[in-house]
Amino acid sequence: MNKFFTANISDADPIISEAIDDEVRRQTNGLELIASENFVSEAVLQTMGTVFTNKYAEGYPRKRYYGGCEFADVVEDAAIDRAKQIFGAEHANVQPHSGAQANMAVLMTALDHGDQILGMNLSHGGHLTHGHPLNFSGINYKVADYGVNRETEQIDYDELQRLAEEHKPKLLICGASAYPRTIDFARIGEIARSVGAKVMADIAHIAGLVAVGLHPSPVPHCEFVTTTTHKTLRGPRGGLILCREEFAKDVDRSVFPGVQGGPLVHIIAAKAVSFGEALQSDFKAYQQQIIDNARVLAETISSAGLRLVSGGTDNHLLLVDVFMDGKGITGKVAEKALDEVHITVNKNTIPFDTNKPFVASGIRLGTPALTTRGMKEAEMKQIGEMFAAIIREPESEEVKNRVRGEVAEITAKFPMYPTRLKEKRNETAGR
Ligand SMILES: *Cc1c(COP(=O)(O)O)cnc(C)c1O
């Protein structure tokens, strides 16, 4: 047998093999609270590592530019059908390599170069692809932005109406990366129609909640809906576009040949598997637990005296103001202190932040990943208390040692990826 087809990673490439093993241990032994991350099933993981990675399948099912696509067609058809079924959409494109690519394709579909868009400000919870000056969306289009109200820290829909009338955008962009509240897609749809704009709703973060009806769906109210597949939806890294039939051809053409070449068939296969999981009845219970966990985490942290942006959460994430006008610590310091006790989070700007983005006043926390591991309210309460203890005394080695011990205890109770977890040999330290 040709060795090329038989050698496993540890023989073929010890450096990468060891990094993979280290990463399995890091994910297993830490508390993953990054709101945009999740753990895919073993089935999804296996599907990504298949020979579909070898296949070129430019085009769409039964309209390909390459031969040998009959099984790629099976995979892509399944992914499309399941996506449409989950979200009740007329058309789905499952080829975007990422959420950013999905948004790029929609902007290309809905706009001409230089057209006006109206998107949510990044520092108020929006995303780079909604009009940031360094992103294609800010470079190619004229941008106006909206944000949250200074008092409520929630989207001010009256102000959005006023800005829509003032700027007359061709496309209104909604959806967010760091917004802990329900988004009123029906109202946004009305605002857009009142000024003749189309709407792109980017549900990258909340797609899983939308899939099971625990967040109102934008599909009936918005011409275009985009999402990532790897956040609450719990699939492989990738993007997805949903739209009405009237835009189907244009959207497909924008994805390929507009912004991409060959689709990642192995990833589309994994998307199909994860969509299958999302259609099973226990997916709703999982999403409900994400929300319940976020609520308990929010209550615990708030009771410990820390301030939550907007006062709480309706979804899977919370934004904690750890800076508190200089009385607390910066997001940057908080992120590092938490990292040292194996609690993984990201610093995040808060609305009207006085710190720069790389310093930031907030920490964003999300529960999708730990909920996948099986953690529930009791663990969230414990984790919220550990979080507050670290924020209160980020320098205390005593607190850090205690929390490290608690993290090890909790994570040991919720094992994952048993077949991928290998004991670390020849070393006593490390995590
Ligand atoms: C994560 C995210 C994206 C981008 O996803 P990538 O796959 O990282 O490109 C787009 N929009 C929003 C709102 C997001 O949160």
Side-chain angles (χ1 to χ4, degrees), residues 36 97-103 125-130 174-178 202-205 226-231 237-239 364:
S36 49
H97 301 333
S98 69
Q101 297 283 94
N103 289 350
H127 189 260
L128 285 169
T129 53
H130 300 183
C174 60
S177 300
D202 175 353
I203 57 168
H205 262 261
T226 60
T227 182
T228 59
T229 46
H230 50 272
K231 298 179 184 174
R237 305 198 80 73
R364 187 184 66 161

Side-chain angles (χ1 to χ4, degrees), residues 300-359:
T300 310
I301 288 171
S302 170
S303 301
L306 292 164
R307 196 183 81 81
L308 299 179
V309 170
S310 83
T313 177
D314 300 326
N315 58 23
H316 65 297
L317 72 81
L318 33 144
L319 197 52
V320 189
D321 174 6
V322 292
F323 189 62
M324 298 190 284
D325 286 328
K327 293 192 282 293
I329 59 177
T330 66
K332 187 178 172 182
V333 168
E335 179 187 299
K336 184 158 173 293
L338 290 160
D339 217 20
E340 283 166 9
V341 297
H342 309 163
I343 296 177
T344 314
V345 304
N346 65 283
K347 59 180 171 295
N348 211 104
T349 51
I350 62 172
F352 311 101
D353 208 325
T354 51
N355 287 306
K356 294 205 172 75
F358 213 70
V359 176

Side-chain angles (χ1 to χ4, degrees), residues 213-266:
L214 290 172
H215 187 293
S217 173
V219 170
H221 311 291
C222 306
E223 284 78 5
F224 308 98
V225 175
T226 60
T227 182
T228 59
T229 46
H230 50 272
K231 298 179 184 174
T232 50
L233 200 50
R234 206 166 60 181
R237 305 198 80 73
L240 167 68
I241 303 172
L242 307 165
C243 69
R244 301 196 182 137
E245 194 55 49
E246 61 180 298
F247 303 112
K249 276 211 173 68
D250 289 342
V251 162
D252 285 354
R253 214 177 298 122
S254 292
V255 174
F256 170 84
V259 302
Q260 291 186 178
L264 310 175
V265 183
H266 58 309

Side-chain angles (χ1 to χ4, degrees), residues 76-297:
E76 189 164 350
D77 277 335
I80 291 168
D81 287 346
R82 292 173 190 180
K84 284 160 64 176
Q85 197 186 333
I86 292 171
F87 293 102
E90 290 177 13
H91 181 73
N93 186 305
V94 297
Q95 291 193 4
H97 301 333
S98 69
Q101 297 283 94
N103 289 350
M104 192 173 198
V106 167
L107 267 58
M108 245 185 97
T109 306
L111 300 167
D112 294 314
H113 197 273
D115 277 346
Q116 180 76 51
I117 60 177
L118 177 59
M120 191 164 179
N121 190 304
L122 181 66
S123 71
H124 288 214
H127 189 260
L128 285 169
T129 53
H130 300 183
H132 189 277
L134 294 176
N135 183 264
F136 79 90
S137 55
I139 294 169
N140 293 334
Y141 308 104
K142 267 209 316 246
V143 180
D145 64 337
Y146 64 95
V148 298
N149 177 280
R150 200 179 268 272
E151 297 307 313
T152 62
E153 294 176 301
Q154 304 197 30
I155 295 172
D156 184 338
Y157 295 95
D158 294 332
E159 176 68 2
L160 179 54
Q161 173 83 50
R162 194 191 65 72
L163 288 166
E165 283 165 15
E166 180 185 332
H167 295 286
K168 300 255 182 305
K170 199 161 166 190
L171 186 70
L172 203 167
I173 303 177
C174 60
S177 300
Y179 188 67
R181 294 302 186 172
T182 301
I183 298 174
D184 190 345
F185 293 119
R187 178 86 194 270
I188 290 174
E190 276 170 29
I191 293 172
R193 280 189 297 281
S194 76
V195 298
K198 293 192 176 71
V199 186
M200 176 178 92
D202 175 353
I203 57 168
H205 262 261
I206 56 172
L209 306 178
V210 171
V212 298
L214 290 172
H215 187 293
S217 173
V219 170
H221 311 291
C222 306
E223 284 78 5
F224 308 98
V225 175
T226 60
T227 182
T228 59
T229 46
H230 50 272
K231 298 179 184 174
T232 50
L233 200 50
R234 206 166 60 181
R237 305 198 80 73
L240 167 68
I241 303 172
L242 307 165
C243 69
R244 301 196 182 137
E245 194 55 49
E246 61 180 298
F247 303 112
K249 276 211 173 68
D250 289 342
V251 162
D252 285 354
R253 214 177 298 122
S254 292
V255 174
F256 170 84
V259 302
Q260 291 186 178
L264 310 175
V265 183
H266 58 309
I267 299 298
I268 293 173
K271 285 176 184 172
V273 173
S274 69
F275 296 164
E277 292 172 357
L279 284 165
Q280 285 162 27
S281 56
D282 58 357
F283 195 65
K284 180 157 189 177
Y286 164 59
Q287 297 293 333
Q288 182 65 58
Q289 191 66 53
I290 289 178
I291 293 177
D292 294 346
N293 282 353
R295 199 158 297 157
V296 171
L297 192 61

